[in-house]
Amino acid sequence: VLRTNRELERGRLVCQLGVASAEHALAAAKVVEADVDQIDINMGCPKKFSVQGGMGAALLKNQEAAVEIVRTLAQNLSIPVSAKIRLLETQEKTVAFAKAMEE
């Protein structure tokens, strides 16, 4: 159970999700959309349970899924969407990935 004081926290409450599919991401985000100010997708967690489930850092290797998650949320939510990522092998690859999610 998450309890917040919306008057004090308005504009500052971000919900970070660990997801592997756009469908699950949207379902989870819709549950909290009215109670948070932003959704952040965790694409950096290297923990075994995240990577085995296709979440976290696994999304860096499955960039199609990562882009689809961000696009689906951005198109269907009334709040901003962001993604926490790690640096890829090169600066160019990192920038290209970030720009793909931005489109």
Side-chain angles (χ1 to χ4, degrees):
V1 173
L2 172 66
R3 293 192 175 132
T4 64
N5 181 330
R6 290 301 286 152
E7 290 181 29
L8 294 176
E9 296 165 342
R10 189 163 311 285
R12 298 183 293 200
L13 188 60
V14 177
C15 177
Q16 185 179 69
L17 300 176
V19 294
S21 75
E23 178 184 347
H24 287 121
L26 184 57
K30 283 293 189 182
V31 171
V32 298
E33 180 178 20
D35 299 314
V36 300
D37 302 297
Q38 181 175 331
I39 297 292
D40 181 70
I41 302 303
N42 183 340
M43 297 185 190
C45 183
K47 295 290 186 181
K48 185 177 180 180
F49 68 90
S50 289
V51 175
Q52 280 183 331
M55 302 176 286
L59 289 170
L60 300 176
K61 293 183 175 158
N62 185 358
Q63 293 183 9
E64 274 187 32
V67 169
E68 182 63 23
I69 289 167
V70 171
R71 284 184 183 161
T72 297
L73 294 181
Q75 291 170 356
N76 292 283
L77 297 177
S78 62
I79 57 177
V81 176
S82 62
K84 178 185 87 173
I85 66 171
R86 291 180 174 270
L87 295 174
L88 301 177
E89 298 84 22
T90 67
Q91 181 177 349
E92 292 77 16
K93 287 182 180 181
T94 303
V95 171
F97 179 45
K99 285 184 177 183
M101 288 189 289
E102 202 174 43
E103 294 174 352

